Amino acid sequence: MSVGENEETAGGPVDRGRLDKRRAIVEAALRVFAQVGYAQASLDVIAAEAGVSKPTIYNHLGSKEKLFRHVMTETAARSNAKTLDVLTAFPTDPDQLRPGLEDLATKLVDCYCDEQSESVRRLLYAEAVRFPDLFDAVRASGPNQFTEALAGRLARLANAGHLRVEDPVRAANQFIALVYEELPGMSALGTRPLDPADVAKVVTAGVDTFLRAFGTEPAGGPGKVSG
Amino acid sequence: MSVGENEETAGGPVDRGRLDKRRAIVEAALRVFAQVGYAQASLDVIAAEAGVSKPTIYNHLGSKEKLFRHVMTETAARSNAKTLDVLTAFPTDPDQLRPGLEDLATKLVDCYCDEQSESVRRLLYAEAVRFPDLFDAVRASGPNQFTEALAGRLARLANAGHLRVEDPVRAANQFIALVYEELPGMSALGTRPLDPADVAKVVTAGVDTFLRAFGTEPAGGPGKVSG
DNA sequence: AGAAAATTTTACTGGGTAGTTAAATTCTGT
DNA sequence: ACAGAATTTAACTACCCAGTAAAATTTTCT
């Protein structure tokens, strides 16, 4: 038994201590990886940041590559869960479609612009060549699922006659594209803080365009016109 | 004696030879950087790939960081010039607005999906934390200029009554977002080849949505409906 | 309390890389 | 053709880092 962390046998202060260290390692690793990149990240630095010594990392995670994979998948899973949870806010009342979509979009971009989300995205971009499987895994468990779920909601609204959508998946992708749009560029990929007012403008404009294209009301309806 | 001293050049074989080496270095550096990232890129490998030895790189470019900056700005400048050139294809005939925009969008995404463009984008993402100035410089000289130019064209069409656009810059950004949309995800950031048919579908759908939102014809006009 | 087992730590190794120095080669001017 | 200037090259240095081995510490079982 090398690394038998039985979650069922929890309760002892021992395992708790080990798990704390493990989590400290993973959190520190994310910080360091995000700050200096995979190759530049030194395990000594990560160990120091985690308040742990280097071989402890090997005992827990095995190797630098495994640590990286673990950090990425775990962080992505957390972010993805939060993002999927946003769909709870999907509007069901057709009369509140616009404010509902704006609320949804605001929450969505909040998730996308979360610091951990941005870190993972940057690292995924950075290492897309050397960790293609990671890229696929994260996308499959995250954005793709969200798109599919959103597409389902849009399709329901379309069936009920509140939206004119022929290809729900494509419409979902376009919705995301419209409201997320230029935020990465504006924030330098999460490197600089965003002015919430600017974010709100982008979201409003995105939802506006989306409803112009897919809404059933006459164009230029309730949405205010001048930016 | 190394390879390829071409004396057949008119106007000074010397400088030509040196310039060739310099260009070989920059090209090799881009390849290596794109493949393994900034930190992992070894100057020895770059030198070998360029058919040159290491100090030659220092004589020409000074340091690894300067080499990187040079490679990035130079490659970005080339890509940006190509992209800006695409606006030549902007439709002027209002009767051909849809096919014109589709053509424009196709050429635009071709530029965006060019291998060098993708490489620079990945590296920019990867090093956004440590080279924030590079990020800003490339964006300022590239996407921002394109957006502004496109916005101007859209505004002209709007003034002539062929488009309903209030904020041309935002509309331009949304146009780009709609037609570029999911391509990075589909190609794993340029890591995998794209099926041109899929690209065409995304482009068509993007232009379709754009015209639904901003066009003056009644919705569901000449664009075919089923995907 | 005491012994055994596991884990953390200190100290080390082998490989690799950015940047430099002095010799060899190539090019310029006369 | 020849001497001098500039550039390319091979070999070298100092440094850093991923991963490992044995010692010290902590925890568990009797």
Side-chain angles (χ1 to χ4, degrees):
Chain A
M1 335 275 122
S2 42
V3 202
E5 259 69 31
N6 314 337
E7 295 100 30
E8 300 305 326
T9 24
V14 184
D15 289 343
R16 172 63 184 280
R18 301 291 133 93
L19 287 180
D20 276 353
K21 275 193 176 169
R22 184 193 171 91
R23 206 174 52 185
I25 292 172
V26 173
E27 284 174 6
L30 175 60
R31 280 198 302 274
V32 176
F33 281 139
Q35 210 157 24
V36 305
Y38 174 74
Q40 290 269 25
S42 147
L43 284 184
D44 294 280
V45 172
I46 293 175
E49 188 91 1
V52 160
S53 81
K54 190 165 47 169
T56 304
I57 297 180
Y58 283 88
N59 283 344
H60 276 286
L61 279 316
S63 75
K64 187 181 183 181
E65 184 176 326
K66 281 182 187 170
L67 170 63
F68 183 66
R69 294 195 127 90
H70 192 85
V71 167
M72 293 292 279
T73 52
E74 193 163 283
T75 311
R78 246 199 324 268
S79 294
N80 292 341
K82 271 192 209 162
T83 307
L84 264 182
D85 201 48
V86 161
L87 275 182
T88 307
F90 192 87
T92 51
D93 181 3
D95 294 334
Q96 298 294 311
L97 195 52
R98 179 180 300 265
L101 287 180
E102 280 175 5
D103 182 51
L104 175 77
T106 303
K107 285 174 177 154
L108 173 65
V109 301
D110 272 359
C111 283
Y112 271 64
C113 295
D114 173 75
E115 190 181 333
Q116 293 196 346
S117 239
E118 301 268 24
S119 297
V120 169
R121 198 169 309 126
R122 268 198 319 269
L123 288 167
L124 226 46
Y125 264 71
E127 304 300 331
V129 182
R130 283 196 310 169
F131 294 90
D133 55 309
L134 254 180
F135 185 84
D136 291 338
V138 170
R139 282 199 59 89
S141 85
N144 290 359
Q145 279 196 0
F146 183 85
T147 299
E148 289 295 330
L150 176 58
R153 308 286 188 136
L154 293 178
R156 224 178 284 178
L157 280 178
N159 267 340
H162 305 301
L163 239 39
R164 295 179 300 118
V165 170
E166 283 95 32
D167 184 339
V169 173
R170 189 133 281 161
N173 271 319
Q174 293 183 336
F175 178 81
I176 298 169
L178 283 171
V179 301
Y180 186 50
E181 219 193 340
E182 41 189 337
L183 297 186
M186 284 167 56
S187 71
L189 306 159
T191 293
R192 295 184 192 172
L194 274 172
D195 182 351
D198 291 338
V199 176
K201 276 182 196 163
V202 172
V203 164
T204 305
V207 171
D208 202 59
T209 298
F210 182 82
L211 282 178
R212 279 204 206 185
F214 297 107
T216 51
E217 298 176 8
K224 52 111 199 66
V225 167
S226 74
Chain B
M1 194 74 50
S2 30
V3 220
E5 261 68 23
N6 315 338
E7 301 94 13
E8 54 179 337
T9 328
V14 185
D15 289 344
R16 172 62 185 280
R18 301 290 133 90
L19 287 180
D20 275 355
K21 276 195 176 169
R22 184 194 170 90
R23 207 174 51 187
I25 292 171
V26 173
E27 284 173 6
L30 174 60
R31 280 199 302 274
V32 176
F33 280 139
Q35 210 158 25
V36 304
Y38 174 74
Q40 290 269 25
S42 148
L43 284 184
D44 294 280
V45 172
I46 294 175
E49 188 91 0
V52 159
S53 81
K54 190 164 47 170
T56 304
I57 296 179
Y58 282 88
N59 283 344
H60 276 287
L61 280 316
S63 74
K64 186 181 184 182
E65 184 177 326
K66 281 181 186 169
L67 170 63
F68 183 66
R69 293 194 126 91
H70 192 85
V71 167
M72 293 292 278
T73 52
E74 192 162 284
T75 311
R78 246 199 325 269
S79 294
N80 292 340
K82 270 191 208 163
T83 308
L84 264 182
D85 201 48
V86 161
L87 275 181
T88 307
F90 192 88
T92 52
D93 182 2
D95 293 335
Q96 297 294 311
L97 195 52
R98 178 180 301 265
L101 286 180
E102 281 175 4
D103 182 51
L104 174 78
T106 303
K107 286 173 176 154
L108 173 65
V109 302
D110 271 359
C111 283
Y112 271 64
C113 295
D114 173 76
E115 189 181 332
Q116 292 197 347
S117 238
E118 301 268 24
S119 297
V120 168
R121 197 169 310 126
R122 267 196 320 267
L123 288 167
L124 227 46
Y125 263 71
E127 304 299 330
V129 182
R130 284 195 310 169
F131 294 89
D133 55 308
L134 252 181
F135 185 84
D136 291 338
V138 170
R139 280 200 60 90
S141 85
N144 290 358
Q145 278 195 2
F146 183 86
T147 299
E148 290 293 331
L150 176 59
R153 308 286 188 136
L154 293 178
R156 224 179 284 180
L157 280 178
N159 267 341
H162 305 302
L163 238 40
R164 294 179 300 117
V165 170
E166 284 94 31
D167 184 338
V169 172
R170 190 133 283 160
N173 272 319
Q174 293 183 337
F175 178 81
I176 298 168
L178 283 172
V179 301
Y180 187 48
E181 219 194 341
E182 42 189 337
L183 296 186
M186 284 167 57
S187 72
L189 305 158
T191 292
R192 294 185 193 173
L194 275 172
D195 182 350
D198 292 338
V199 177
K201 276 182 196 164
V202 172
V203 164
T204 305
V207 170
D208 202 58
T209 298
F210 182 82
L211 282 178
R212 279 204 206 185
F214 298 108
T216 51
E217 298 175 8
K224 51 125 198 60
V225 165
S226 75

